[in-house]
Amino acid sequence: MTATLTRTVQPWRLFRTTVSRVQRLSSSFLRITFAGPELMALGDDRDDQRVKVILPAPDGSLDVGDADGLSWYQELMGRDAASRNAVRTYTSRHVRAEQGEVDVDFVLHGDEGPASRWATTATVGDEIILCGPNLAHGGPYGGTSFKPAPGTDRFLLVADETAVPAALAILEGLPAHAMGAALLEVPHADDMLPVSAPPGVQVRWLAREDAAHGALLEPAVGNLLQLWLGDRHGADSSEVELPVDPDGYLWDVPEQTVSGEFYAWLAGEAGVVTRLRRTLVREHGVDRRSVAFMGYWRAGRAEG
Ligand SMILES: Cc1cc2nc3c(=O)[nH]c(=O)nc-3n(C[C@H](O)[C@H](O)[C@H](O)COP(=O)(O)OP(=O)(O)OC[C@H]3O[C@@H](n4cnc5c(N)ncnc54)[C@H](O)[C@@H]3O)c2cc1C
């Protein structure tokens, strides 16, 4: 008798990739196109689909083990922190699986972080590994956080530059009749990238220049809510603790089941997002089950 061994197809896997194009989009955004035959198996749930970027270790090596599943991560985290590969989270801005290509838009924020440092000097032919959705699994793969209830037609998207790639992808996928607004704070005026959004969704770019992170976004959100909701105040003063995951990241993505007055998606620096979320829920009484908020990074703290 022959035993049949079945192996579950994992929703995520590793992809060996090579930089095939480096394109400076603006002062702060650098688009890097990764290519390779393995990427023909890259899945994509769109919206704010994320991937993990695994960079060469300080000695240049790129050996992170098993291509399937996530066991590689545990194995990697068991290695010496100073010499292992850095892993960072990014948005897959465009996936062209049939061509074996994916674009990732990196915000350049200096050479303090390994990802920004790597991107700054990336050239065609450089190799990295991506961890992302596995087409063979069939999806949904996980790794998206935009979860409005079916039938929702009013949206508020709020993002800093790190979440602009995700916000632009979400805007591209909204139904043509969608209404609402997107407020996007970027470092400089030339960081205002081309947008494709339904006509009923007003897209407003805010160029921070020398101001602090969130300095323009926070009043802009307050003013918009005043316009949309008037003087209504939140009754939810009981809420003190915000959900923070074991790594210290601020993350709450309620699966909206019933369509409310609008669905809000907030992503960016954790402290700014915390204050924005308070503005919505406490100051303006927006139902917290309609607010997804994600700390994409935390000032003064490296990812992981
Ligand atoms: C779901 C998700 C999707 C994301 N998508 C993108 C994306 O498409 N493009 C993108 O650029 N980023 C994206 N980010 C944010 C990115 O993961 C972080 O900015 C990450 O910290 C960058 O890694 P690093 O190695 O450059 O810096 P780290 O080593 O993580 O941090 C080093 C230092 O730099 C600071 N820092 C980190 N990011 C910034 C920044 N942008 N500006 C100023 N200081 C910073 C940290 O506070 C820390 O002090 C995403 C994050 C998440 C969670």
Side-chain angles (χ1 to χ4, degrees):
M1 203 170 89
T2 327
T4 311
L5 285 176
T6 50
R7 197 168 179 215
T8 315
V9 178
Q10 299 294 330
W12 279 45
R13 54 160 279 188
L14 299 179
F15 299 86
R16 242 170 209 281
T17 75
T18 304
V19 172
S20 65
R21 191 168 184 222
V22 179
Q23 194 186 355
R24 191 70 182 241
L25 301 180
S26 67
S27 304
S28 309
F29 288 107
L30 184 77
R31 173 163 299 165
I32 299 190
T33 302
F34 298 100
E38 292 189 8
L39 287 173
M40 297 182 104
L42 179 63
D44 186 17
D45 281 335
R46 252 331 58 209
D47 290 327
D48 51 348
Q49 178 74 63
R50 57 184 171 269
V51 293
K52 294 283 181 186
V53 170
I54 304 163
L55 299 163
D59 69 359
S61 63
L62 247 188
D63 172 23
V64 289
D66 188 6
D68 264 344
L70 294 172
S71 58
W72 62 269
Y73 187 74
Q74 275 171 319
E75 197 272 315
L76 186 67
M77 289 303 118
R79 296 186 199 171
D80 171 46
S83 56
R84 71 182 173 219
N85 308 74
V87 180
R88 295 290 182 268
T89 312
Y90 281 84
T91 304
S92 53
R93 180 67 184 90
H94 305 110
V95 172
R96 295 178 294 279
E98 62 296 343
Q99 292 162 244
E101 285 184 354
V102 56
D103 296 332
V104 177
D105 291 350
F106 289 80
V107 173
L108 301 179
H109 63 91
D111 60 5
E112 198 190 342
S116 176
R117 185 167 59 242
W118 176 86
T120 305
T121 59
T123 51
V124 171
D126 287 353
E127 290 185 8
I128 63 140
I129 294 176
L130 290 181
C131 183
N134 181 6
L135 198 58
H137 173 268
Y141 310 98
T144 65
S145 302
F146 180 74
K147 299 184 185 296
T152 302
D153 51 15
R154 198 168 183 210
F155 301 90
L156 172 63
L157 307 181
V158 181
D160 75 4
E161 60 271 29
T162 62
V164 158
L168 295 183
I170 291 170
L171 285 167
E172 285 163 10
L174 290 178
H177 65 272
M179 308 287 289
L183 299 173
L184 310 174
E185 187 185 278
V186 287
H188 305 293
D190 79 326
D191 292 322
M192 301 177 188
L193 303 177
V195 184
S196 169
V201 179
Q202 187 207 358
V203 179
R204 195 163 156 220
W205 292 92
L206 305 159
R208 195 167 57 236
E209 303 302 344
D210 293 328
H213 281 274
L216 279 68
L217 214 40
E218 293 175 39
V221 169
N223 291 340
L224 186 83
L225 292 175
Q226 180 71 29
L227 200 67
W228 282 9
L229 304 173
D231 279 329
R232 194 180 78 184
H233 290 285
D236 196 1
S237 56
S238 60
E239 190 196 61
V240 185
E241 294 294 326
L242 288 174
V244 174
D245 79 10
D247 291 331
Y249 277 88
L250 181 80
W251 204 270
D252 192 33
V253 180
E255 195 119 356
Q256 195 195 24
T257 46
V258 181
S259 177
E261 50 198 351
F262 61 87
Y263 176 79
W265 177 96
L266 321 171
E269 197 283 319
V272 175
V273 168
T274 303
R275 294 192 290 277
L276 290 171
R277 204 265 192 163
R278 253 182 230 136
T279 305
L280 266 86
V281 176
R282 286 205 203 156
E283 289 173 29
H284 291 274
V286 177
D287 186 334
R288 69 173 108 160
R289 290 165 302 182
S290 298
V291 184
F293 64 103
M294 285 85 38
Y296 267 28
W297 62 286
R298 186 181 283 274
R301 192 169 162 168
E303 185 179 339

